[in-house]
Amino acid sequence: DQQVKQNSPSLSVQEGRISILNCDYTNSMFDYFLWYKKYPAEGPTFLISISSIKDKNEDGRFTVFLNKSAKHLSLHIVPSQPGDSAVYFCAASLMDSNYQLIWGAGTKLIIKP
Amino acid sequence: DTEVTQTPKHLVMGMTNKKSLKCEQHMGHRAMYWYKQKAKKPPELMFVYSYEKLSINESVPSRFSPECPNSSLLNLHLHALQPEDSALYLCASSQPGQGAVGYTFGSGTRLTVV
């Protein structure tokens, strides 16, 4: 049972425009949602997170929105830059499982010049 | 120091070899993890150490043997691996109870079993 889903395997966006990456989840008990960015042959890098009691968190060009009623979150990157081209993983965690991460399948973001 | 360092970066080993992967962090994190990642897949949890004790073993075959000598070091001993074990092996660390900040990952060891 896949508790965290990223239904878009890839996304192509023009440089300077907004990139929106989506993630859905099934477990309403998740405490945190996190976004990681991964370049080929490197480990994932933590980008931004949001607590389940919030609906928005912003850090520079990155904003994460959480819609608990729809069990949906999204990562907005604006403006998109060529260096943003990477695979983005959505993950969720539960305090009861000591914040062990449950991962989505990832979305490959391609920023076109 | 905000890094997790993994060595070696690349490893090619035969199916009868014994090798070890090493991971080191100096952030004072007390939870350390081994993940396996295949191409185009999310990281797959293998082992979790919390306060130097093995707390989670995700039904990993015994040919993978983890070791946590101290709070800064994590090893993964490999023996009699199969070609399907070829993957990127990632080490990560975190502070137990800090769910908002996520894990810090190393760059990984690219393992090829021939």
Side-chain angles (χ1 to χ4, degrees):
Chain A
D1 175 31
Q2 202 175 356
Q3 297 190 63
V4 178
K5 299 177 187 177
Q6 293 176 259
N7 292 317
S8 298
S10 67
L11 175 67
S12 188
V13 174
Q14 202 72 37
E15 181 180 356
R17 305 294 291 268
I18 184 170
S19 295
I20 301 176
L21 297 124
N22 294 305
C23 179
D24 297 296
Y25 61 95
T26 57
N27 189 342
S28 59
M29 301 301 291
F30 284 133
D31 294 292
Y32 286 99
F33 302 90
L34 305 94
W35 286 94
Y36 283 83
K37 173 182 179 179
K38 187 180 184 303
Y39 294 117
E42 291 186 12
T45 303
F46 171 72
L47 263 180
I48 191 170
S49 67
I50 188 167
S51 163
S52 61
I53 62 172
K54 305 273 190 186
D55 54 20
K56 178 182 175 181
N57 188 24
E58 189 172 355
D59 183 3
R61 296 187 298 116
F62 303 93
T63 304
V64 57
F65 295 93
L66 176 61
N67 182 334
K68 286 188 287 294
S69 61
K71 295 194 178 71
H72 177 84
L73 64 152
S74 60
L75 174 68
H76 293 214
I77 307 173
V78 58
S80 300
Q81 299 174 353
D84 296 330
S85 295
V87 176
Y88 288 79
F89 289 99
C90 171
S93 66
L94 276 165
M95 183 179 69
D96 287 351
S97 65
N98 204 21
Y99 300 114
Q100 185 179 321
L101 293 177
I102 298 167
W103 298 81
T107 296
K108 183 175 183 179
L109 177 64
I110 300 163
I111 305 300
K112 299 180 292 186
Chain B
D1 187 349
T2 58
E3 287 187 345
V4 174
T5 304
Q6 287 188 245
T7 56
K9 291 198 181 304
H10 301 275
L11 178 63
V12 179
M13 61 185 289
M15 288 189 283
T16 58
N17 291 159
K18 283 185 182 181
K19 297 285 184 184
S20 296
L21 309 185
K22 297 188 182 302
C23 175
E24 189 168 2
Q25 57 90 11
H26 295 289
M27 294 177 282
H29 288 171
R30 301 305 298 274
M32 296 185 76
Y33 312 81
W34 279 115
Y35 278 87
K36 172 182 177 180
Q37 186 168 28
K38 293 271 201 179
K40 301 183 181 180
K41 298 284 189 184
E44 181 184 333
L45 183 65
M46 300 175 72
F47 302 104
V48 180
Y49 274 83
S50 183
Y51 297 96
E52 295 88 69
K53 292 191 185 331
L54 182 64
S55 61
I56 294 177
N57 175 342
E58 291 286 355
S59 304
V60 179
S62 60
R63 57 186 185 268
F64 295 92
S65 174
E67 179 196 17
C68 189
N70 60 53
S71 60
S72 300
L73 294 173
L74 186 65
N75 298 322
L76 185 62
H77 303 297
L78 313 172
H79 174 53
L81 295 194
Q82 304 296 310
E84 60 264 28
D85 296 322
S86 298
L88 182 67
Y89 286 83
L90 294 162
C91 174
S93 70
S94 72
Q95 199 62 283
Q98 297 294 315
V101 298
Y103 300 177
T104 302
F105 281 85
S107 296
T109 294
R110 172 67 61 187
L111 175 67
T112 304
V113 181
V114 297

